[in-house]
């Protein structure tokens, strides 16, 4: 197919940026290069859409550009439209959000990949923010609920589940405990280390976890919990990384780590390559 380029307008002087935005919008509507939702919203009622309409050549509406010609930085992933009392403004942001999510079903694979990358980036930011908030609370002390599964009793912090041996305390399901994560300086092993099988090079060796509360008999408890599991060492290495604000989804050159799941992008929990290799040798 032969391509042809046509000049739709020529100006010999500076033109108002708003007028440029309107002219670009006119071209997008005439050539039907916007999303189907946008075309149906801005074209006159009863307008015929071509079979190729909605190919998303133009992902953003020209009307949403600033007067300086740069795209307006509307954060569709995090903007809380419920904070607005103005119904017109709420409707505006709701339409932006809806148009963005419509990119997921675009017939254009490039646009679908763009949507996928944006969603993955937003998920990473949300997860990092949540983990940092959890880390701050954990180091200063937090309340947790006891989980019971048969004879097992435990509590959770973010992705991690901590078992409490019945040898040290009998706990009621749903009971509230106060947990403190005590992290010592590098190269200093905690006298009440949670992961007892941790090696000298493991960050987990610096971590002690203390719980206080009331046991199933109504007596007060103040104990340091511990675990002898080998895999707990790898999980606690990652837990310490989280407490120190490191990226736990991409450990880079850190070894002996557990990598938690990222469910929003379909990523399952795994281990760093050195541990995966170790497990394969054992099998």
């Amino acid at each position: 197919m032969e391509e042809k380029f046509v000049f739709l307008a020529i100006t010999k002087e500076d033109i108002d940026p708003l007028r440029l935005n309107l002219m670009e919008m006119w071209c997008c509507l005439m050539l039907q290069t916007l999303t189907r939702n946008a075309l149906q919203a801005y074209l006159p009622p009863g307008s015929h859409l071509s079979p190729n309409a909605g190919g998303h050549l133009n992902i953003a509406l020209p009307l949403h550009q600033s007067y300086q010609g740069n795209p307006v930085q509307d954060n569709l992933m995090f903007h809380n439209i419920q904070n607005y009392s103005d119904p017109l403004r709420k409707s505006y942001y709701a339409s932006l959000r809806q148009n963005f999510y419509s990119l997921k079903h675009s017939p254009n694979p490039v646009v679908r990949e763009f949507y996928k990358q944006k969603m993955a980036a937003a998920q990473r930011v949300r997860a990092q923010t949540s983990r940092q908030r959890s880390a701050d609370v954990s180091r200063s002390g937090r309340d947790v609920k006891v989980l019971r599964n048969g004879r097992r009793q435990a509590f959770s912090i973010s992705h991690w589940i901590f078992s409490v041996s019945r040898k040290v305390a009998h706990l009621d399901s749903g009971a509230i405990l106060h947990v403190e994560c005590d992290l010592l300086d590098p190269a200093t092993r905690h006298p009440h280390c949670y992961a007892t099988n941790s090696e000298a090079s493991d960050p987990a060796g610096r971590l002690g976890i203390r719980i206080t509360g009331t046991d199933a008999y109504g007596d007060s408890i103040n104990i340091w919990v511990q675990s002898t599991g080998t895999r707990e060492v790898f999980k606690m290495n990652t837990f310490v990384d989280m407490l120190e604000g490191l990226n736990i989804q991409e450990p880079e050159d850190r070894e002996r780590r557990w990598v938690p799941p990222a469910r929003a992008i379909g990523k399952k929990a795994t281990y760093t390559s050195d541990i995966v290799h170790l497990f394969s040798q054992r099998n």
Side-chain angles (χ1 to χ4, degrees):
M1 179 184 296
E2 183 181 357
E3 294 183 349
K4 293 184 179 180
F5 294 87
V6 179
F7 289 99
L8 298 177
I10 298 178
T11 177
K12 296 182 180 180
E13 57 186 21
D14 292 338
I15 188 171
D16 181 9
L18 177 58
R19 185 177 299 178
L20 284 176
N21 290 351
L22 291 173
M23 291 176 63
E24 184 181 353
M25 183 70 175
W26 169 66
C27 292
C28 292
L29 290 172
M30 183 176 62
L31 300 176
Q32 298 191 1
T33 59
L34 299 172
T35 66
R36 279 189 170 270
N37 287 341
L39 292 173
Q40 292 171 353
Y42 290 97
L43 284 174
S47 297
H48 174 72
L49 297 183
S50 72
N52 295 325
H56 294 174
L57 178 61
N58 293 82
I59 296 175
L61 285 178
L63 294 180
H64 293 166
Q65 294 181 156
S66 70
Y67 289 171
Q68 287 73 36
N70 299 318
V72 178
Q73 297 299 315
D74 282 307
N75 193 334
L76 303 181
M77 305 306 299
F78 301 101
H79 203 94
N80 185 4
I81 61 176
Q82 300 301 325
N83 290 336
Y84 289 107
S85 58
D86 182 359
L88 183 60
R89 181 176 290 188
K90 291 178 67 173
S91 175
Y92 168 72
Y93 278 107
S95 67
L96 287 182
R97 189 180 184 89
Q98 183 179 4
N99 286 338
F100 173 76
Y101 284 125
S102 71
L103 301 181
K104 178 180 180 180
H105 306 290
S106 169
N108 189 331
V110 176
V111 174
R112 293 198 302 271
E113 181 62 25
F114 167 81
Y115 171 85
K116 181 180 178 180
Q117 292 177 0
K118 287 294 183 181
M119 290 295 290
Q123 193 276 338
R124 286 193 294 270
V125 172
R126 285 198 302 270
Q128 180 63 27
T129 302
S130 176
R131 286 192 295 267
Q132 187 58 53
R133 184 165 54 247
S134 180
D136 294 341
V137 173
S138 297
R139 298 196 68 168
S140 61
R142 64 186 299 165
D143 290 339
V144 297
K145 183 180 295 186
V146 175
L147 309 172
R148 290 288 300 271
N149 184 5
R151 292 181 59 83
R152 187 188 183 191
Q153 50 189 21
F155 60 89
S156 66
I157 298 177
S158 187
H159 295 288
W160 293 265
I161 296 179
F162 300 84
S163 295
V164 181
S165 172
R166 293 172 62 87
K167 294 180 180 179
V168 297
H170 286 233
L171 305 172
D172 285 329
S173 177
I176 302 300
L177 301 175
H178 187 73
V179 178
E180 295 179 14
C181 298
D182 186 33
L183 187 62
L184 301 186
D185 294 333
T188 304
R189 187 172 182 84
H190 201 288
H192 304 288
C193 173
Y194 173 79
T196 57
N197 282 337
S198 57
E199 299 178 359
S201 60
D202 288 318
R206 301 157 45 205
L207 175 67
I209 298 178
R210 180 168 61 181
I211 61 173
T212 56
T214 304
D215 65 13
Y217 306 108
D219 297 326
S220 297
I221 58 173
N222 185 344
I223 57 178
W224 295 91
V225 292
Q226 293 181 315
S227 173
T228 59
T230 300
R231 298 196 182 202
E232 285 299 304
V233 176
F234 312 138
K235 291 185 176 182
M236 289 304 103
N237 284 340
T238 303
F239 185 73
V240 171
D241 289 345
M242 188 268 291
L243 291 178
E244 296 186 321
L246 300 179
N247 186 340
I248 61 175
Q249 288 293 341
E250 300 174 359
E252 297 179 349
D253 58 344
R254 282 169 277 151
E255 296 183 342
R256 295 171 61 83
R257 296 306 197 268
W258 174 72
V259 182
R263 296 182 179 87
I265 57 176
K267 184 178 179 181
K268 297 181 179 180
T270 185
Y271 293 88
T272 49
S273 58
D274 59 308
I275 301 303
V276 173
H277 180 66
L278 176 64
F279 289 160
S280 64
Q281 287 183 323
R282 291 179 178 177
N283 296 332

